[in-house]
């Protein structure tokens, strides 16, 4: 299988409950670790009420030490060293959200 540097998953527009969406995220992260072909995951939670975004970010923080970094969409710009390093690690993927202050996404930089 070909190396995929940045995987995008949209759990905010699927109509799933927050628990189901979080389960999808957990499965995706585990699969990416197992296959060792993805460097980062862009998680789209959507704008909505912010409930799913909060749940995803709390889950990421609870996984402390499992990831190289967690980058919130509103911090995903050239002034965030983790964002710059992650983009370099991913060979500068073209991402329309870079520098856009988009709180509807969260990036998980994998080890």
């Amino acid at each position: 299988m070909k190396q995929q540097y940045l995987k995008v998953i949209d759990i905010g527009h699927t109509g799933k409950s927050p628990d189901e969406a979080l389960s999808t995220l957990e499965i995706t992260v585990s699969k990416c670790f197992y296959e060792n072909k993805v460097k980062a995951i862009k998680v789209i939670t959507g704008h909505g009420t912010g409930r799913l975004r909060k749940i995803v970010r709390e889950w990421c923080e609870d996984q402390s030490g499992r990831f190289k970094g967690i980058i919130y969409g509103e911090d995903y710009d050239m002034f965030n060293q983790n964002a710059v390093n992650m983009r370099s690690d991913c060979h500068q993927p073209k991402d329309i959200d870079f520098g856009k202050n988009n709180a509807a996404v969260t990036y998980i930089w994998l080890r």
Side-chain angles (χ1 to χ4, degrees):
M1 183 179 204
K2 184 180 167 193
Q3 179 80 36
Q4 178 184 2
Y5 295 105
L6 180 65
K7 180 172 187 68
V8 179
I9 65 166
D10 185 348
I11 60 173
H13 301 99
T14 61
K16 294 181 179 180
S17 72
D19 287 339
E20 292 171 320
L22 194 56
S23 178
T24 299
L25 175 60
E26 290 173 340
I27 290 167
T28 301
V29 168
S30 293
K31 185 176 178 182
C32 289
F33 272 122
Y34 177 76
E35 293 176 348
N36 197 27
K37 297 191 184 317
V38 174
K39 300 271 187 181
I41 301 170
K42 177 181 180 178
V43 183
I44 301 171
T45 56
H47 290 285
T49 64
R51 182 172 175 230
L52 182 58
R53 174 178 57 244
K54 182 179 183 218
I55 289 168
V56 166
R57 291 179 178 184
E58 286 174 354
W59 178 84
C60 287
E61 295 298 330
D62 288 344
Q63 304 294 312
S64 177
R66 187 175 181 194
F67 310 124
K68 280 187 189 177
I70 301 158
I71 304 155
Y72 300 160
E74 56 271 29
D75 299 326
Y76 185 57
D77 58 32
M78 66 181 159
F79 302 107
N80 182 307
Q81 193 60 52
N82 263 351
V84 171
N85 291 343
M86 183 194 78
R87 286 174 54 84
S88 177
D89 194 32
C90 294
H91 301 282
Q92 297 293 330
K94 294 178 181 165
D95 189 344
I96 61 170
D97 288 311
F98 187 69
K100 300 291 185 184
N101 193 29
N102 185 356
V105 297
T106 300
Y107 294 83
I108 300 172
W109 185 15
L110 303 174
R111 292 198 174 275

